[in-house]
Amino acid sequence: RDASALAMKHQVLASEEFLDTKGNALRRDTSLLGQVGVVLGLRIVSDTARKDLVLDLVPTPLQDGFFASAPSSSKTSKLDGVTPKIDKDWACEHAARLESALPGGVEVLGFYIYLSDKAMRSPQTVMQGTTLLRDLKGSLADCDSFPPVLLHLDATSRKAAAKSCEDGGAALKTVELRFTKIENNLVRVHSVYGLDSSPQVVATTAALKSKSALAKELSRWAERETGRLEGIVLRLGSGNGGGELVDEAAGSSGSVLDAVKACGASDPLDGGSRIGIRNLRFDIFCPAWRRATRGQGRRVQGRVRPVGSVTCVGYVYARDTMAAVAAALRRDVARSLRSRVESYLDDAAESAADERSGDGEGAVHPLAEAERDGCGGLRTPLAACLPSRRLFVKSGGGDHEITFSHYADDDDDDDEGEGASTLRDLLSLEGEMVAFEVGTREATGADLDVSVWHPMAAEPKPKAAAGTGGSCACCGGGGGQVMAAGPAFNVAQVVGAALILALALVIAYTLTGR
């Protein structure tokens, strides 16, 4: 971690009403000895300070046995005697799964622990809390240079405190916890990002021997695609009648609140917010990907050719700078593409496993079939229909209206019901999740029909595979297609055939002349 990060003043900001509501709900459950969960929120960074803005607390699922206490007739004594035995691996794995469902700007800030103050101060609890924070940094895909926080909710009073392993040390130190008003200070930002990279893939000897070479290339493509966003420029006003450019590289220092005021007309989504969230829409501009040269010769195995668009959703603090908008949308694209590719590869692995066990029903996943053809699928043209994104929010009140993402194929019969159920389990939610429409749409398989992986060996001829719908390199097309390559012609064979034909004609002419 760099010296500037270590020198920053660290504060944790939260809504007092929000923490009181969460704490009171936990204390009303008299059978609850303790609880651990994930802290979600925004990270606001300036030259001199870092502020972690708490937006949600998500309990870790399946934590039976995490907390135990000796028998006692007094409730307070029972809570003070709690001994935590937190499964740190499971808690960090849940945090990583949760991270993949978050919108841009919203991060896993750390963990919270609900315990009595006396139980929290025990050496065993302190040691487990320190280990949790240390292991969390290695579990997150979007981990930055700043230390995570540990939020303590007292089980015997309304007190709350924040701690962190500051200055690169191994010991927990108290961090200032301040209460602030979050209502009317959150801004949801939207855009649509068009995929536009077409790099050549150089196949090494190791890649040709790999059983999952194409799967790895799809993951690398997602990284290359999001790399374009380093040069992002935004234009305010997509659908809002604006037009101001936001260039992070040029140091756009205006506040988000100024952009809200300049926007004028409100967004259609503004009226549906219970806590006064404003919505801003932007157009994204970023440089085209520089294609590889042809000087790589025969080592070039093929190209990834994505086409389409993906929705982008992020959250920023109204008093933060416009650079935070660019960072939130960039993070959302990267997180979304990574989650789509992972979901697609998981489906392919499950399909291949079902086929090996004889439990598979219907068509084999296109990627599994391509890998079965040899060279890890690198020689098989393939249209990869990555899953589409479905956004959901918690129903009812008491939260900050964060959207959570679920990725599913367009041909799923009940993808909305499945998405809501999956997110309820992920969030350990007793209430309902409801679909959230952002007013923009992604390009789907009905719009596009393009081969995402195009080998250089031969021009493919389309061959419809079992399944329905078209195909799309960026989002959930219906079903998908596998395209079979035509024969690879050998130049020597063609020349030889021509010579034999010419010789046959000469002989025939000679015989006819006689």
Side-chain angles (χ1 to χ4, degrees):
R1 190 161 66 243
D2 55 37
S4 60
L6 294 175
M8 285 183 178
K9 181 180 180 181
H10 187 185
Q11 294 178 328
V12 176
L13 307 180
S15 164
E16 184 174 15
E17 180 182 358
F18 173 75
L19 287 188
D20 280 347
T21 300
K22 290 290 186 180
N24 290 336
L26 293 172
R27 284 187 285 271
R28 281 196 296 268
D29 186 353
T30 56
S31 65
L32 187 64
L33 298 177
Q35 188 180 90
V36 64
V38 181
V39 179
L40 304 179
L42 304 181
R43 187 157 284 152
I44 307 168
V45 181
S46 66
D47 294 335
T48 58
R50 172 171 71 98
K51 300 177 181 179
D52 291 336
L53 183 65
V54 177
L55 295 182
D56 205 355
L57 304 179
V58 179
T60 302
L62 306 175
Q63 52 179 289
D64 294 341
F66 279 19
F67 302 93
S69 178
S72 174
S73 58
S74 169
K75 178 182 177 181
T76 302
S77 300
K78 184 178 181 180
L79 292 174
D80 287 342
V82 170
T83 303
K85 297 180 180 179
I86 301 172
D87 186 338
K88 296 177 286 295
D89 292 338
W90 168 234
C92 290
E93 181 182 342
H94 171 248
R97 293 183 184 180
L98 188 58
E99 179 190 43
S100 65
L102 296 178
V106 180
E107 309 293 340
V108 173
L109 299 179
F111 288 103
Y112 75 88
I113 294 182
Y114 169 76
L115 275 178
S116 73
D117 184 63
K118 182 177 181 180
M120 186 68 190
R121 286 187 280 108
S122 71
Q124 183 175 355
T125 305
V126 172
M127 180 183 66
Q128 292 194 48
T130 304
T131 305
L132 266 178
L133 298 189
R134 183 191 64 206
D135 293 352
L136 179 64
K137 290 184 67 66
S139 302
L140 300 179
D142 297 325
C143 185
D144 54 29
S145 60
F146 300 106
V149 299
L150 186 65
L151 184 65
H152 171 222
L153 302 179
D154 191 354
T156 56
S157 72
R158 296 176 61 249
K159 295 180 181 179
K163 298 180 181 295
S164 183
C165 297
E166 299 291 309
D167 302 327
L172 287 175
K173 294 185 177 181
T174 300
V175 176
E176 182 183 3
L177 174 62
R178 292 181 54 192
F179 294 121
T180 187
K181 183 180 180 182
I182 298 179
E183 292 78 5
N184 300 314
N185 279 307
L186 277 183
V187 177
R188 187 188 293 119
V189 293
H190 308 260
S191 189
V192 177
Y193 174 70
L195 303 172
D196 186 43
S197 68
S198 181
Q200 293 177 343
V201 175
V202 178
T204 63
T205 303
L208 291 175
K209 292 181 180 180
S210 172
K211 293 183 179 180
S212 57
L214 184 53
K216 294 178 180 178
E217 290 304 334
L218 288 175
S219 296
R220 295 188 186 106
W221 157 73
E223 296 175 2
R224 287 189 291 265
E225 184 64 50
T226 54
R228 295 174 56 224
L229 293 166
E230 294 302 320
I232 188 174
V233 175
L234 304 176
R235 181 174 65 190
L236 174 64
S238 177
N240 285 330
E244 178 185 350
L245 289 177
V246 180
D247 185 356
E248 186 181 16
S252 299
S253 57
S255 73
V256 179
L257 187 59
D258 292 337
V260 172
K261 294 177 180 178
C263 206
S266 62
D267 189 273
L269 293 177
D270 291 351
S273 174
R274 301 182 303 273
I275 61 172
I277 290 182
R278 293 295 302 270
N279 292 266
L280 292 179
R281 299 183 185 272
F282 294 84
D283 292 321
I284 290 181
F285 300 92
C286 53
W289 184 264
R290 184 175 56 188
R291 300 189 180 189
T293 64
R294 295 183 178 181
Q296 294 163 330
R298 296 182 179 179
R299 295 181 63 214
V300 176
Q301 188 69 22
R303 290 192 180 101
V304 178
R305 296 166 56 178
V307 174
S309 60
V310 297
T311 57
C312 315
V313 181
Y315 288 76
V316 292
Y317 192 53
R319 303 187 185 280
D320 208 345
T321 65
M322 289 298 290
V325 175
L329 292 177
R330 182 191 302 114
R331 177 62 60 87
D332 187 69
V333 173
R335 187 177 285 163
S336 176
L337 289 182
R338 182 174 63 241
S339 297
R340 295 169 199 256
V341 170
E342 289 175 354
S343 177
Y344 180 80
L345 298 181
D346 288 344
D347 289 344
E350 182 178 352
S351 174
D354 289 343
E355 185 185 20
R356 287 193 298 269
S357 64
D359 296 333
E361 297 181 1
V364 180
H365 191 282
L367 181 59
E369 189 169 347
E371 292 179 344
R372 185 179 58 190
D373 291 343
C375 288
L378 288 176
R379 293 179 179 173
T380 303
L382 176 66
C385 300
L386 301 188
S388 290
R389 184 184 202 175
R390 302 287 186 272
L391 294 173
F392 296 84
V393 294
K394 297 178 183 178
S395 65
D399 69 298
H400 293 112
E401 301 178 16
I402 298 175
T403 60
F404 295 90
S405 300
H406 174 72
Y407 299 94
D409 295 333
D410 278 353
D411 58 350
D412 285 352
D413 295 332
D414 188 25
D415 56 334
E416 186 172 311
E418 178 187 354
S421 176
T422 300
L423 289 175
R424 285 187 65 218
D425 293 340
L426 182 67
L427 301 174
S428 299
L429 187 66
E430 295 182 358
E432 296 297 326
M433 298 293 294
V434 295
F436 182 80
E437 299 294 337
V438 296
T440 56
R441 64 184 295 270
E442 299 180 335
T444 65
D447 306 309
L448 303 166
D449 188 5
V450 60
S451 177
V452 66
W453 172 251
H454 178 64
M456 305 294 286
E459 289 295 327
K461 295 181 179 180
K463 176 183 177 182
T468 59
S471 56
C472 171
C474 64
C475 50
Q481 292 183 341
V482 176
M483 304 177 71
F489 295 104
N490 186 292
V491 176
Q493 292 176 343
V494 173
V495 173
L499 290 175
I500 293 173
L501 178 60
L503 180 60
L505 292 174
V506 170
I507 294 174
Y509 178 80
T510 303
L511 293 176
T512 303
R514 287 181 180 179

